[in-house]
Amino acid sequence: MGWPLALTEGSIIQASYQTEELQREVIMLACSFGNKHCHRQAVSLISDWISSNKNRIPPNVRDIVYCTGVSLMDEDVWEFIWMKFHSTTAISEKKVLLEALTCSDNGFLLNRLLNLSLSSDLVPDQDVIDVIIHVGRNPHGRHLAWRYFREKWDILNSRYGEALFMTSKLISGVTEFLNTETELNELYGLTVSIVTADSSMA
């Protein structure tokens, strides 16, 4: 299937919708399963963007390329994506860039992103929960997100507690991959403390 083709001036050669969707699906699977050609192409596209400061990455695969680049490349790439997240004004692009930052396999960067999301105004309030959930879906960040959720529960609950949909989304997101007895006991302990706190306030 190959990759979507970008012309030198940045416009995209249009394929049929079905072809684009199939192409995207194949690329996503190839990169997620560690296909070397897919990884090389993603790294090449990110490197070209950094060196030229012109984003020639086809829009329908940007999320895949950004995520793959962040996971494979060094801290400078993470910083570049973080900078672009702050400089872009397009809401849809901001969401893609922010999600890409959660793809890193560097625990320090993931922890930094978690802390920045809640303790500063650098990440919009409505995106904080998505950051925590996406870090939790990253195998390198699952334990970080779960620990962060437990440690910051009071702050999260005070900020989002009245928004039942947001709270439910957060809890289901960070507990989705808990699978050890220790994690189950931690979840039980947190649940008991929450219920006790709610009862005492009633």
Side-chain angles (χ1 to χ4, degrees), residues 41-50 57 65-66 69 73 77 81:
Q41 182 67 8
V43 168
S44 175
L45 288 167
I46 291 283
S47 298
D48 175 72
W49 183 18
I50 292 172
I57 303 169
V65 172
Y66 295 173
M73 301 170 79
V77 172
I81 296 294

Side-chain angles (χ1 to χ4, degrees), residues 1 15-25:
M1 294 294 296
S16 70
Y17 174 77
Q18 291 84 355
T19 299
E20 283 187 351
E21 286 301 298
L22 179 57
Q23 196 175 46
R24 171 184 162 78
E25 189 70 19

Side-chain angles (χ1 to χ4, degrees), residues 126-199:
Q126 65 270 22
D127 293 327
V128 171
I129 286 178
D130 287 333
V131 167
I132 299 172
I133 290 172
H134 284 299
V135 170
R137 289 175 178 167
N138 179 341
H140 299 281
R142 183 166 70 88
H143 297 296
L144 293 173
W146 173 230
R147 184 181 66 196
Y148 190 78
F149 172 77
R150 298 195 319 273
E151 292 176 352
K152 304 297 183 182
W153 168 250
D154 289 340
I155 298 173
L156 291 165
N157 190 44
S158 65
R159 185 179 294 189
Y160 302 106
E162 294 183 5
L164 296 179
F165 168 74
M166 298 289 280
T167 304
S168 174
K169 178 183 176 183
L170 175 60
I171 292 173
S172 62
V174 297
T175 61
E176 182 178 0
F177 297 105
L178 301 185
N179 56 15
T180 68
E181 186 174 351
T182 299
E183 291 168 337
L184 180 61
N185 289 333
E186 289 171 344
L187 178 59
Y188 176 76
L190 179 62
T191 304
V192 168
S193 66
I194 292 171
V195 171
T196 302
D198 288 344
S199 298

